[in-house]
Amino acid sequence: MGRVPALEEPLKKILGGNTAKVMAEHLDLHTVGDLLHHYPRRYAERGELTRLADLPLDEHVTVVAQVAKAAMKTFNHGKGVRLEVVVTDGSGSLTLVFFGRGAYAREKELIPGRRGMFAGKVSVFNRTRQLLHPDYELLDRDSGAEAAESFAGKLLPIYPACKQFQSWKLSKAVDTLLDLFEAEQWQNITDPLPPVLREGRGLAELADAFRKVHRPRTKADIQDARDRLKWDEAFVLQVALARRRHTESQLPAVARKPVADGILDAFDAKLPFTLTEGQRTVSAEIFDDLATEHPMHRLLQGEVGSGKTMVALRAMLGVVDAGGQAAMLAPTEVLAQQHHRSITEMMGELAEGGMLGGAEHATKVVLLTGSMGAAARRQALLDLVTGDAGIVVGTHALIEDKVQFHDLGLVVVDEQHRFGVEQRDALRAKGHSRGEKRTPHLLVMTATPIPRTVAMTVFGDLETSVLDQLPAGRSPIATHVVPAKDKPHFLARTWERVREEVQGGHQAYVVCPRIGDDLGEEGDAPKTSGKASKAAKAAEAEAKDGTGDGGERRPPLAVLDIAEQLGKGPLAGLRVEVLHGRMQPEAKDDVMRRFAAGEVDVLVATTVIEVGVNVPNSTVMVIMDADRFGVSQLHQLRGRVGRGSAPGLCLLVTEASEASPARTRLDAVARTLDGFELSRIDLEQRREGDVLGQAQSGVRSSLRMLTVIDDEEVIVAAREEATAVVAADPELERLPGLRTALDALLDKDREEFLDKG
């Protein structure tokens, strides 16, 4: 072809339209750069040259031998065929076996007298050693030991592939590209790493890294390539985030400094407890940010029950003192109502601004959800636009165009992972002060503890504050796995324990993965008639990919079914109620109010109670089909009990077998209450697809070589380097290679994600 392509060139120009179409549709590979960055997931080793007399069982070997005889045989009443080829090297013999259509092609090549190199894993069948479908290369009479050694020692790249485009086809396509680049000395390749950085850290050049990762001669080659390519991913991503931070720091915002003797001081004075040291430290960080004329952009993460809402409320009161308004965005109506209720209870007369009996320094705290009645909604909107309401708590209804603020100074987003960035951005866009557009300060909260490196990679544009202390008076939670299938008497004992707690004056939760009315399932999911629930799909995928117990699995247990069974059976006589995402909002709120008031003994619910729900009298959490939930979700659910002075108990009911990965996961949850440790375990099991994929950014993960759990040092160093590079050259004018790599990483979707923060 005589012309070396650029990395952004479409594959169809190099490989042809049909091949490129299959690669685009099934592997999401569109450009030359996409294919070169599609790295082998592992390398097959053919094994050392071995004499047939010395063959070890269950190991990969390469032998040089001569075909002694070959015979085609049928089996399964003539429906199947296999080719059996006996080879010998003088010291012993070995049988090569090929099944199916490939057997006919090989029959023509592997004829008695031909000599070749054969590689595969040694197994035994009918007391005969054999290689099943071995790789082989036939030798000329002149080929000697050198050719055999080269064949045996070769590392064969195995690529992530699909049935429409197998690994060997990918290998061939990559070879085509590499040959083009080699012929022209890699002329058009642009290196994203600044030369000073690359040389200073002793990293290979990009061309060398591509060569070594796709055509390694030794294992050292693979390591060299990995070291370099990990840096590419970490550095380019961190540059994108550093530019986001830099841009954010240039935006104008109104400094919100709390005033002395205002509503915040009045609130602090009436608190019946003292803040933890962690809460005081994090509050100081937030108030420092709020006092600047550039928008705060902070992530507040902490253990279940560590008091994040208290920290957020104090920040909101500080903004109200400074003449602004604060909005808290919650993912579900149940959680919005719960936050509104707990905030007004904590504030007391301070939340009764303009009302009879309201305190001198008081404001209104309003609730805004999609299901509110027209009159209440009109009043809430009026209170926001006039500024009478200093604090609003709401769902995505807050984002609608008709919602206007008098002076929005702070946006608090609870459970960031439940919101699209567009929703968060739309709320921030409502900020203006004295007629001028001003970006509100932003505080993002998550109750799912995130390992430091993940926070740095996923939320790298946010400053991070961590609450890892529990407030005084919180009780320990004991967690046990209940193997319902192996030991049914353990399940019977579970319901006895629930009865005992209720008789002792306490309450219990029972959580199920499904609602049970055969519509689209789980939590607040919309109706999707006839489709399996998200939980059921996850369980099905788990069974298929080997993380579950495999085989056919029954549908997940359902709230409506379990509530009925418990009410008529082991919990007969107790006050059992249900709560799920498709109940009418008034009905949901009524159930939660009665449960909080102690008028319901046992609440059978979906994960709609996962975050924010606070009923200190609840002491038992029974999670049915616990293996169908993720580690972080189990930790969240468990955090609903042990919130008062009585100890909490969490029982994880499962049918997963003792040796299964699902059971290992549950044992980990039972073993530790440390959410950061559990999030690390969760990440090790899920890897990065879920971390940087759709759940976080709306696009697929950009990580192919880097693993955020294993490459902490690289990520930390890349963040430091990226921050320095962007500070010196925000537009990257002196680094065209980096700019090109950034454009490739930031396709339209990801660019929007980072722009919206």
Side-chain angles (χ1 to χ4, degrees):
M1 191 165 281
R3 181 188 63 81
V4 62
L7 292 182
E8 57 270 26
E9 189 155 335
L11 281 171
K12 63 183 176 188
K13 288 192 177 179
I14 312 296
L15 303 174
N18 291 339
T19 298
K21 187 180 178 194
V22 176
M23 292 172 87
E25 285 179 3
H26 297 286
L27 293 167
D28 201 16
L29 303 175
H30 305 271
T31 66
V32 167
D34 287 346
L35 182 52
L36 287 177
H37 286 100
H38 190 73
Y39 309 127
R41 58 185 168 86
R42 64 183 178 87
Y43 299 86
E45 293 183 70
R46 286 184 171 138
E48 294 179 7
L49 275 174
T50 311
R51 292 192 330 142
L52 294 186
D54 305 327
L55 286 180
L57 265 183
D58 292 325
E59 284 190 21
H60 289 274
V61 299
T62 297
V63 299
V64 176
Q66 191 168 25
V67 177
K69 60 180 181 179
M72 193 72 82
K73 301 191 176 179
T74 61
F75 60 94
N76 196 15
H77 306 296
K79 291 177 185 172
V81 294
R82 71 175 180 270
L83 176 66
E84 291 185 1
V85 180
V86 178
V87 297
T88 177
D89 68 351
S91 73
S93 64
L94 176 68
T95 302
L96 317 176
V97 183
F98 302 91
F99 287 96
R101 283 181 295 184
Y104 293 109
R106 290 174 173 90
E107 185 184 28
K108 294 170 185 169
E109 290 184 335
L110 299 175
I111 53 178
R114 288 303 304 265
R115 194 164 151 273
M117 299 175 287
F118 306 94
K121 188 176 179 181
V122 182
S123 59
V124 170
F125 182 72
N126 280 348
R127 288 180 290 184
T128 302
R129 286 172 305 174
Q130 64 175 29
L131 300 183
L132 195 60
H133 285 279
D135 284 332
Y136 66 87
E137 202 167 293
L138 296 174
L139 297 170
D140 300 329
R141 284 184 172 76
D142 303 333
S143 301
E146 198 174 308
E149 287 286 353
S150 168
F151 175 85
K154 193 172 181 184
L155 291 158
L156 303 171
I158 308 296
Y159 290 91
C162 60
K163 65 180 180 183
Q164 293 85 357
F165 208 82
Q166 300 91 337
S167 176
W168 65 268
K169 284 186 180 176
L170 278 161
S171 194
K172 200 171 166 186
V174 170
D175 278 344
T176 301
L177 290 187
L178 292 181
D179 288 345
L180 275 176
F181 278 109
E182 291 288 0
E184 300 292 325
Q185 281 94 48
W186 296 83
Q187 282 174 20
N188 271 0
I189 195 114
T190 50
D191 197 322
L193 293 191
V196 176
L197 188 161
R198 183 173 53 73
E199 289 159 15
R201 294 191 175 270
L203 299 169
E205 290 187 11
L206 185 57
D208 201 33
F210 280 144
R211 199 183 289 121
K212 286 179 172 177
V213 79
H214 292 295
R215 287 179 175 171
R217 291 189 300 274
T218 64
K219 288 183 179 177
D221 278 355
I222 298 170
Q223 194 55 51
D224 280 353
R226 283 181 180 278
D227 289 346
R228 160 61 211 249
L229 296 167
K230 281 179 181 182
W231 254 95
D232 280 17
E233 290 179 2
F235 181 69
V236 174
L237 183 60
Q238 291 298 346
V239 165
L241 294 167
R243 292 183 78 207
R244 172 81 184 90
R245 287 195 301 277
H246 182 269
T247 303
E248 189 77 24
S249 71
Q250 307 303 305
L251 292 173
V254 178
R256 308 285 180 173
K257 298 175 183 175
V259 296
D261 300 322
I263 191 169
L264 176 59
D265 283 349
F267 176 75
D268 284 348
K270 70 192 287 294
L271 277 180
F273 52 82
T274 54
L275 299 175
T276 65
E277 187 183 338
Q279 285 175 317
R280 286 197 297 272
T281 303
V282 169
S283 288
E285 291 172 348
I286 291 170
F287 284 123
D288 284 348
D289 285 356
L290 290 172
T292 65
E293 293 185 349
H294 299 292
M296 171 173 75
H297 218 217
R298 186 168 287 277
L299 171 70
L300 172 57
Q301 59 161 322
E303 276 293 6
V304 177
S306 59
K308 292 180 298 298
T309 307
M310 174 60 70
V311 170
L313 175 54
R314 293 186 73 250
M316 291 194 285
L317 294 176
V319 168
V320 172
D321 272 344
Q325 293 169 290
M328 179 182 268
L329 188 60
T332 66
E333 292 208 348
V334 167
L335 189 50
Q337 288 159 346
Q338 178 81 29
H339 275 320
H340 180 256
R341 192 178 306 126
S342 62
I343 286 171
T344 50
E345 284 171 3
M346 283 192 282
M347 287 177 65
E349 71 277 8
L350 297 173
E352 296 170 358
M355 295 182 230
L356 212 58
E360 178 193 353
H361 300 290
T363 187
K364 270 191 184 178
V365 180
V366 300
L367 176 70
L368 190 65
T369 64
S371 64
M372 284 172 68
R377 184 181 179 79
R378 256 196 315 273
Q379 184 60 51
L381 292 173
L382 185 63
D383 288 340
L384 288 177
V385 78
T386 59
D388 286 349
I391 295 175
V392 59
V393 182
T395 56
H396 55 274
L398 279 175
I399 296 162
E400 293 171 9
D401 288 344
K402 62 184 76 168
V403 179
Q404 298 297 325
F405 290 85
H406 177 66
D407 181 6
L408 180 59
L410 172 65
V411 172
V412 178
V413 179
D414 193 18
E415 290 308 309
Q416 151 68 13
H417 65 281
R418 306 284 191 94
F419 287 101
V421 284
E422 293 82 1
Q423 293 170 306
R424 194 174 90 186
D425 188 55
L427 183 53
R428 288 187 84 193
K430 294 179 181 291
H432 51 77
S433 180
R434 293 176 284 282
E436 290 183 45
K437 190 78 179 164
R438 287 287 188 270
T439 304
H441 298 280
L442 175 70
L443 181 65
V444 171
M445 298 200 298
T446 176
T448 306
I450 307 165
R452 175 167 169 260
T453 354
V454 183
M456 198 179 284
T457 311
V458 180
F459 297 109
D461 57 334
L462 301 173
E463 297 300 322
T464 303
S465 295
V466 175
L467 279 174
D468 50 12
Q469 283 178 291
L470 292 186
R474 293 299 295 267
S475 302
I477 305 170
T479 308
H480 302 286
V481 178
V482 178
K485 199 172 186 178
D486 304 338
K487 298 178 180 175
H489 59 286
F490 276 33
L491 184 57
R493 177 67 187 131
T494 296
W495 305 125
E496 286 173 17
R497 282 293 290 116
V498 171
R499 271 194 174 282
E500 288 165 11
E501 288 296 312
V502 172
Q503 283 159 5
H506 299 299
Q507 293 160 277
Y509 297 100
V510 177
V511 176
C512 304
R514 205 160 58 93
I515 297 170
D517 52 9
D518 297 322
L519 296 172
E521 294 288 341
E522 213 195 20
D524 288 309
K527 294 182 183 181
T528 48
S529 181
K531 292 184 181 177
S533 71
K534 284 188 270 182
K537 285 177 182 171
E540 187 183 335
E542 200 173 69
K544 283 180 184 171
D545 74 8
T547 56
D549 290 327
E552 287 297 311
R553 301 185 78 186
R554 60 161 172 72
L557 295 172
V559 166
L560 301 179
D561 300 338
I562 292 296
E564 186 180 3
Q565 289 167 23
L566 293 177
K568 291 178 178 176
L571 302 185
L574 300 188
R575 296 168 297 178
V576 178
E577 296 263 7
V578 302
L579 179 72
H580 57 75
R582 280 206 309 281
M583 290 166 61
Q584 288 301 314
E586 304 80 36
K588 279 191 281 192
D589 199 36
D590 177 58
V591 170
M592 276 313 303
R593 277 182 188 283
R594 288 189 293 112
F595 188 62
E599 296 166 15
V600 174
D601 298 320
V602 180
L603 188 63
V604 185
T606 58
T607 55
V608 74
I609 60 144
E610 181 184 346
V611 286
V613 173
N614 183 26
V615 181
N617 193 46
S618 301
T619 52
V620 191
M621 165 72 65
V622 180
I623 304 177
M624 308 301 292
D625 278 345
D627 51 288
R628 313 250 185 172
F629 298 95
V631 169
S632 296
Q633 217 173 13
L634 293 171
H635 185 56
Q636 287 300 317
L637 289 166
R638 170 170 62 186
R640 299 309 103 209
V641 296
R643 300 177 81 84
S645 55
L649 174 65
C650 178
L651 300 169
L652 307 173
V653 180
T654 180
E655 293 186 359
S657 61
E658 199 163 355
S660 68
R663 184 66 176 275
T664 305
R665 206 166 63 231
L666 296 184
D667 289 339
V669 174
R671 196 168 55 244
T672 180
L673 289 169
D674 183 339
F676 287 91
E677 172 62 23
L678 286 172
S679 65
R680 186 167 280 274
I681 292 167
D682 194 22
L683 185 61
E684 282 169 353
Q685 292 198 339
R686 294 187 297 131
R687 304 315 295 181
E688 278 66 43
D690 293 347
V691 176
L692 286 185
Q694 298 223 320
Q696 298 297 351
S697 65
V699 291
R700 64 184 169 82
S701 169
S702 62
L703 300 191
R704 295 176 176 85
M705 189 67 79
L706 191 76
T707 56
V708 294
I709 202 73
D710 300 326
D711 297 315
E712 190 157 348
E713 288 177 16
V714 175
I715 289 167
V716 172
R719 183 182 169 99
E720 289 169 4
E721 295 273 11
T723 303
V725 163
V726 171
D729 182 9
E731 297 305 313
L732 308 178
E733 289 170 357
R734 297 189 293 278
L735 296 167
L738 177 56
R739 180 72 249 188
T740 303
L742 208 58
D743 290 341
L745 170 75
L746 301 179
D747 58 21
K748 186 170 179 290
D749 289 337
R750 190 173 282 275
E751 182 77 80
E752 284 176 7
F753 162 63
L754 287 170
D755 277 349
K756 290 175 179 173

